[in-house]
Amino acid sequence: MNVGVNVSLNLNLSQYNQLSFPSNPVYIPNEGNGGIIVNNTGTGYVAFDAADPNTPLSNNCLIQIIDGIGVSSCDETHKYDLVLGLPFQNTNLRCSLKPYRVERNGNELFVYN
């Protein structure tokens, strides 16, 4: 489901401090379909919806961050690369994570669709 996303993250705030370092994703609740996962790739930032795209939205399956990998709360075989958004180690998964646009302006990240 497409919901409007337009959120600003101040990188000076302590809850976003780990975004200063590559591969330290942060979960932002109450945005998108199931929250948003934002990650520093080392060359920029990416953001994905935290709803598991390979389960019905009504199941409320969210992607949890475990050791830098996205793992579905409903099925531990549903794993995702949090840099590319692609399924990880499971060729049966048909859908990638839903991406959002990210722009940086100084110490602010803007995540939107």
Side-chain angles (χ1 to χ4, degrees), residues 7-78:
V7 67
S8 173
L9 309 176
N10 183 337
L11 297 176
N12 291 326
L13 297 176
S14 61
Q15 65 261 40
Y16 307 124
N17 184 53
Q18 68 193 61
L19 288 173
S20 299
F21 309 98
S23 299
N24 283 299
V26 172
Y27 174 74
I28 312 298
N30 305 316
E31 298 291 340
N33 292 306
I36 296 174
I37 297 171
V38 181
N39 197 6
N40 179 341
T41 67
T43 58
Y45 292 87
V46 293
F48 301 102
D49 200 289
D52 185 346
N54 288 288
T55 60
L57 192 57
S58 60
N59 289 3
N60 199 29
C61 298
L62 301 179
I63 302 302
Q64 302 169 328
I65 302 166
I66 300 175
D67 296 328
I69 295 172
V71 180
S72 176
S73 62
C74 295
D75 186 339
E76 291 182 359
T77 68
H78 291 200

Side-chain angles (χ1 to χ4, degrees), residues 94-112:
R94 297 178 54 190
C95 300
S96 300
L97 295 175
K98 177 181 174 61
Y100 292 109
R101 292 182 174 104
V102 182
E103 289 184 18
R104 182 173 183 175
N105 186 0
N107 284 323
E108 292 281 326
L109 283 184
F110 298 96
V111 181
Y112 61 97

